[in-house]
Amino acid sequence: MESNISIDVRNLTKKFGDFVAVDNIEIQVRKGEIFGILGPNGAGKTTTIRMLCGLLLPTKAEGKVNNFDIMKNPEDIKKSIGYVSQKFSLYEDLTSFENLSFYEGIYRVKEKNVKEWVLKTLELEEYKNKTAGKLPLGIRQRLALGCAIMHKPEILFLDEPTSGTDPVYRRSFWDIIYKFSSEKKTIVLTTHYLEEAEFCENIALIFNGKIILKGRPNQLKENYKKDNLEEIFIECIKDKE
């Protein structure tokens, strides 16, 4: 895999019995890139991202994630990346600081003051001693992100990280994403918010388990002669129905 490529995967497929959830897709992401995976509910977005994270073994695939073979080294992939799932997955009866301490141990972080760095970076200091389950949704998602970056991974996977949050929070969350990208961290995220697609450098539209469109947002609008991505997506999905 080229030194400037974080993810290079081909023929990525996942079957559940006779049902094909993800059908022979190809994904390549450069280091430091923000890559968006979009599509309606049930399109295969979450299944795709879980396979790329090493959390779900593909039925078949070729290629590497962070230089680890996607079929042979899923455990190594899991250790080397950060992942924020759709649902809040932290311990709701622990404080923010206690959750960070738990993940510090899970990732065997040796560096000092990492928890303090996370709290400051994600503006969570005022919530340090508050129980996670009682935090507002947006703050809980930010805490989940904090736990995912404790070990300072090179690739960060975010599965609909702003789902259910208000526009103000979504904007602040994207400020954080841009900050990580500026530090050459690779970001791969799923979203169903079309305005968020505009913030990505490259996007892939998944429908019925297949990638039916991919490219840079501005280039796609130019190619299709449309003012926004929503019109393009609707047109492409109608063509496939």
Side-chain angles (χ1 to χ4, degrees), residues 198-210:
E198 301 276 3
F199 302 150
C200 300
E201 293 172 70
N202 272 292
I203 57 174
L205 176 62
I206 294 183
F207 183 66
N208 288 340
K210 294 178 179 287

Side-chain angles (χ1 to χ4, degrees), residues 2 25 64 81 112 153 180 233 236-237:
E2 295 179 28
I25 69 173
K64 295 182 178 182
I81 58 98
K112 294 182 179 179
F180 284 118
F233 290 174
C236 288
I237 289 173

Side-chain angles (χ1 to χ4, degrees), residues 7-66:
I7 301 170
D8 189 5
V9 174
R10 301 165 301 284
N11 302 320
L12 184 63
T13 301
K14 184 62 183 180
K15 296 180 180 180
F16 297 98
D18 294 330
F19 175 67
V20 182
V22 177
D23 191 0
N24 280 298
I25 69 173
E26 179 177 331
I27 291 178
Q28 188 177 77
V29 184
R30 301 187 318 275
K31 287 184 178 178
E33 182 178 357
I34 302 175
F35 187 89
I37 300 174
L38 296 99
N41 291 335
K45 302 189 303 295
T46 294
T47 302
T48 296
I49 210 169
R50 286 177 61 82
M51 288 191 287
L52 294 175
C53 287
L55 296 169
L56 184 64
L57 189 66
T59 303
K60 70 172 182 176
E62 304 164 25
K64 295 182 178 182
V65 176
N66 212 17

Side-chain angles (χ1 to χ4, degrees), residues 174-223:
W174 271 95
D175 288 340
I176 294 169
I177 291 173
Y178 281 137
K179 182 178 186 301
F180 284 118
S181 178
S182 72
E183 296 172 357
K184 295 299 180 184
K185 304 294 185 183
T186 304
I187 313 291
V188 179
L189 61 94
T190 67
T191 181
H192 59 261
Y193 292 115
L194 292 177
E195 68 269 23
E196 290 190 338
E198 301 276 3
F199 302 150
C200 300
E201 293 172 70
N202 272 292
I203 57 174
L205 176 62
I206 294 183
F207 183 66
N208 288 340
K210 294 178 179 287
I211 291 180
I212 61 172
L213 180 75
K214 60 182 175 180
R216 293 181 176 274
N218 287 340
Q219 190 63 56
L220 290 172
K221 286 188 286 186
E222 185 178 323
N223 292 346

